[in-house]
Amino acid sequence: MSTLQEVLAVLLGAESEAKRIITDSKNESDGFLQSAQGKFARDRTNQMASAREQAKGIMETALNSAKTEAQQISDLGKEERARMQRRFEENAEPVLTAMVSEIAETYLSKGRA
């Protein structure tokens, strides 16, 4: 009987050892899983922060480009307005003189007729 008790004791000890190994393995795998999830979350957070910074940079560049383009368009408009003013000033007097002369000739020719 003693041999049977020894075998039973060994089997119970083996079962306890197996349960302990399974529990330790499960705890270790849970630790690995939590560590991996934490690393994934940190990496994802870093990626999102990087994407936000990149988007912010792109938006700032686009805004600066739009401001520069708007300034250039405004400057071109001012230059065109100044050219039109100069052309008007250069051509207004000769055109008015020609119109006055033409009207005067029309009245003079009507007066003679």
Side-chain angles (χ1 to χ4, degrees):
M1 239 343 182
S2 137
T3 310
L4 188 56
Q5 287 177 343
E6 289 174 7
V7 169
L8 187 55
V10 169
L11 286 176
L12 288 174
E15 181 184 14
S16 294
E17 181 65 16
K19 285 181 182 178
R20 186 190 62 74
I21 291 172
I22 289 172
T23 301
D24 289 349
S25 296
K26 184 177 178 186
N27 289 340
E28 187 177 356
S29 68
D30 286 347
F32 286 145
L33 179 62
Q34 289 176 354
S35 175
Q37 287 173 336
K39 184 179 183 309
F40 177 77
R42 284 188 303 277
D43 288 348
R44 187 71 175 152
T45 300
N46 290 340
Q47 288 174 349
M48 292 299 290
S50 176
R52 275 193 296 275
E53 285 300 315
Q54 186 176 13
K56 182 179 175 184
I58 290 169
M59 290 300 294
E60 287 174 356
T61 301
L63 179 61
N64 289 336
S65 294
K67 285 179 180 178
T68 300
E69 188 173 350
Q71 184 62 47
Q72 289 173 344
I73 290 169
S74 175
D75 292 345
L76 288 173
K78 288 175 184 176
E79 289 173 10
E80 181 61 25
R81 193 170 51 243
R83 277 195 297 274
M84 289 172 65
Q85 182 68 34
R86 277 194 310 274
R87 280 195 304 256
F88 176 79
E89 290 169 359
E90 290 169 358
N91 295 321
E93 189 174 330
V95 168
L96 287 175
T97 302
M99 288 175 64
V100 168
S101 296
E102 190 177 308
I103 292 170
E105 284 180 27
T106 302
Y107 280 124
L108 287 175
S109 66
K110 284 184 180 179
R112 287 186 215 154

